[in-house]
Amino acid sequence: MAKQLTGRSYRFDLGDLKVRFTFDSPTQGSFVVVHGAGLAPDGHAETGALNLREIREGVYLNSWTEASGATVTHLEDFGNGTLYSNVTVDGKLHHFTGTIKDA
């Protein structure tokens, strides 16, 4: 259930792209870009509305739109520590696969 994520922070490691993400509530998240891989400046921080849906226990479909207009869609598998991410920046779609770890 999404409430179990509330207040928890994770490290999303997607290769060159690294982000610290906090689930502020089931409908809001905050992130800090640790390493932006050319997609966002290192240190960029933002809070925004989430569209978080539980697919099955420990697996979530999570999406949001950033202030810049970038869109992010994640399939977050906390049981296996795996993250699949699609990010659209300036009309270009980027695909990532990485890991989820407690921050």
Side-chain angles (χ1 to χ4, degrees):
M1 171 176 236
K3 289 182 182 179
Q4 294 171 324
L5 297 175
T6 299
R8 298 197 60 185
S9 295
Y10 297 91
R11 289 178 291 143
F12 293 163
D13 185 339
L14 297 158
D16 288 338
L17 179 61
K18 295 176 183 12
V19 176
R20 179 187 157 105
F21 192 93
T22 300
F23 290 91
D24 301 321
S25 75
T27 59
Q28 180 177 292
S30 300
F31 66 87
V32 176
V33 176
V34 176
H35 188 266
L39 297 177
D42 296 356
H44 174 75
E46 195 168 321
T47 298
L50 300 180
N51 183 1
L52 182 64
R53 299 288 181 255
E54 188 171 26
I55 304 300
R56 62 177 163 78
E57 186 176 342
V59 178
Y60 296 85
L61 182 62
N62 187 10
S63 63
W64 64 91
T65 301
E66 298 177 2
S68 68
T71 61
V72 180
T73 302
H74 282 180
L75 181 66
E76 301 164 349
D77 183 343
F78 290 91
N80 290 314
T82 304
L83 172 64
Y84 302 93
S85 179
N86 289 324
V87 179
T88 303
V89 177
D90 296 328
K92 184 174 180 189
L93 181 62
H94 304 269
H95 304 282
F96 299 96
T97 301
T99 60
I100 301 170
K101 295 183 180 172
D102 286 324

